[in-house]
Amino acid sequence: MDVTEGNVTVSVPEQDGEGTHESVFFNPVQEFNRDLTVAVLRAYREHEERADTYLDAMTASGVRGARAAAEGWDVTCCDIDEEAVELARENLARNDLDGAVVHRNVNALMHDDYFDVVDLDPFGTPMPFADAAFANTRDLLCVTATDTAPLCGAHFDSGVRSYAAVPRNTDYHAEMGVRILLGALARAGARWDTGITPLFTHATSHYVRTYLDLSGRATDANASMDELGFLHHCEDCLRREPEHGLIPHPPETCPRCDGNRVLTAGPLWLGSYRDPEFVADVRNRVTDDMGTADRARDLCHTLESELDEPSHYDQHRLCKLWGRGASGMDDFIDALREAGFAASRAHYGGTAFKSDATIPEMRAATEEI
């Protein structure tokens, strides 16, 4: 069947709604991901004019590579599946687009060749491809992780194996996944003396997506490692405490409620996972020919103003803890701000928010709404 995204039309096998493994994989749900990728590439090219070559590392039908080629990038599409390679070639030709299509193990390709931008969108964890990607990517590394259950701690042992970290299944589980992924990528980059600056990161439904500006200086790799640490979380009163460094010192009991159900997660990324100015630029690059334009702009708007606190709260969970009904989110956030605290919505869900207030301070500030 034919699918149109942006200004390209590609042929893909008939789908069952979530893609099929019986032939070349194509996931229509990922149009949102691909629309945002195009907007990010547009914004990044303005910042890094020399960036020119783009690797679609797991190309499948070739739709992501075709959309990048339509934006003027010198595209290479790679896949280990012969049928995917042939379909990607056909789809580039159908749209009168230039681009190389390579039938090869992408890890071998990334170790052999340099690219300005590499886009990793595998099924499951991206970590088996991380070392090869950091070896020769010059400027921008785009990464999707679809194994959210391991990342968020729901599948604990798998998360430990894949990311060499301890994930915890908390009420801010989506952000746990973001920060576990970024922590693992920062450590992978540091092995190649490469520092990372997350420009744009989001957790959406079943995946985490991040765009990392790379610097090939050991001092920048050191700075990235300084952003790593641990989160201590009390399951009784929900207190969270970040701790920078690679040697954790978890408290035996919670300093607030003296409970002994304190969990420690990490190492994970404690720094910012987006650049607000870059996100605003991405929002301005979203165009109406994108099928998910409104949704993409809404996400960017939330990310622009989202605080850099290392975890978010769920308003309904807190109100249940306090034994009262939930108020409107805008009223709740306004009350925190009026009490002198920083507060913002978080993109993880409609009741997710961030604040620099402690939980007792939140309770007192919102008591009257």
Side-chain angles (χ1 to χ4, degrees):
M1 66 180 184
D2 289 345
V3 172
T4 298
E5 286 189 9
N7 54 0
V8 304
T9 298
V10 296
S11 296
V12 300
E14 291 289 338
Q15 305 295 307
D16 61 6
E18 297 181 356
T20 173
H21 293 282
E22 295 178 357
S23 56
V24 179
F25 184 79
F26 173 79
N27 191 345
V29 176
Q30 289 284 59
E31 181 179 5
F32 181 62
N33 182 326
R34 293 186 288 267
D35 283 348
L36 282 169
T37 298
V38 170
V40 167
L41 290 176
R42 290 170 177 172
Y44 192 78
R45 188 166 238 173
E46 287 295 313
H47 290 264
E48 297 287 340
E49 294 182 1
R50 69 180 179 84
D52 182 58
T53 56
Y54 171 91
L55 172 64
D56 182 7
M58 295 90 177
T59 197
S61 65
V63 61
R64 194 181 294 268
R67 294 189 66 178
E71 296 292 320
W73 290 85
D74 180 1
V75 167
T76 298
C77 298
C78 182
D79 207 290
I80 202 167
D81 181 87
E82 289 185 13
E83 188 176 354
V85 167
E86 183 59 33
L87 185 57
R89 285 199 183 103
E90 292 174 4
N91 282 327
L92 284 173
R94 174 177 182 169
N95 290 277
D96 295 322
L97 297 170
D98 293 327
V101 183
V102 180
H103 178 217
R104 196 175 181 194
N105 181 305
V106 74
N107 274 336
L109 176 64
M110 290 190 292
H111 274 297
D112 282 351
D113 293 337
Y114 287 91
F115 297 94
D116 298 322
V117 179
V118 166
D119 200 320
L120 299 178
D121 188 23
F123 179 79
T125 177
M127 297 314 296
F129 309 95
D131 276 296
F134 279 112
N136 285 332
T137 304
R138 293 189 182 97
D139 296 314
L140 183 70
L141 180 59
C142 318
V143 181
T144 303
T146 60
D147 58 333
T148 50
L151 272 173
C152 300
H155 293 171
F156 180 81
D157 291 338
S158 179
V160 172
R161 290 196 307 273
S162 295
Y163 296 97
V166 175
R168 293 296 186 183
N169 192 11
T170 64
D171 53 319
Y172 50 96
H173 55 87
E175 185 158 7
M176 178 67 64
V178 163
R179 295 188 178 278
I180 288 288
L181 173 63
L182 288 174
L185 290 171
R187 284 178 283 139
R191 288 195 289 272
W192 295 89
D193 290 340
T194 297
I196 68 168
T197 300
L199 297 177
F200 191 110
T201 308
H202 62 102
T204 301
S205 59
H206 67 282
Y207 66 91
V208 175
R209 176 75 164 168
T210 189
Y211 303 85
L212 306 176
D213 191 32
L214 305 184
S215 170
R217 291 188 291 268
T219 53
D220 291 332
N222 292 341
S224 294
M225 295 297 287
D226 288 341
E227 297 290 352
L228 301 183
F230 295 82
L231 268 177
H232 308 299
H233 171 95
C234 177
E235 292 192 285
D236 293 316
C237 72
L238 305 186
R239 178 184 182 272
R240 299 95 184 267
E241 181 67 29
E243 178 190 5
H244 280 82
L246 293 179
I247 301 176
H249 302 87
E252 293 184 5
T253 59
C254 176
R256 177 180 297 142
C257 71
D258 204 34
N260 60 7
R261 296 201 303 156
V262 178
L263 301 177
T264 295
L268 42 70
W269 182 264
L270 292 175
S272 177
Y273 49 73
R274 85 283 181 268
D275 179 327
E277 291 185 5
F278 185 83
V279 173
D281 198 2
V282 171
R283 174 172 50 81
N284 292 331
R285 308 286 175 169
V286 174
T287 49
D288 290 335
D289 63 343
M290 295 177 177
T292 67
D294 290 342
R295 185 181 170 198
R297 292 185 183 113
D298 286 346
L299 172 65
C300 291
H301 180 75
T302 302
L303 280 174
E304 284 174 60
S305 58
E306 194 168 292
L307 296 180
D308 283 332
E309 298 296 318
S311 67
H312 68 271
Y313 295 90
D314 183 87
Q315 187 224 24
H316 287 184
R317 176 77 187 275
L318 289 179
C319 289
K320 182 178 180 180
L321 179 70
W322 298 333
R324 72 185 198 213
S327 61
M329 279 298 295
D330 290 339
D331 292 337
F332 187 89
I333 290 173
D334 286 344
L336 289 173
R337 291 171 176 167
E338 289 168 5
F341 302 107
S344 73
R345 285 183 177 267
H347 77 278
Y348 301 101
T351 60
F353 73 97
K354 293 191 172 188
S355 178
D356 59 356
T358 65
I359 292 178
E361 289 170 338
M362 293 179 198
R363 182 175 186 174
T366 60
E367 196 80 51
E368 301 301 322
I369 59 175

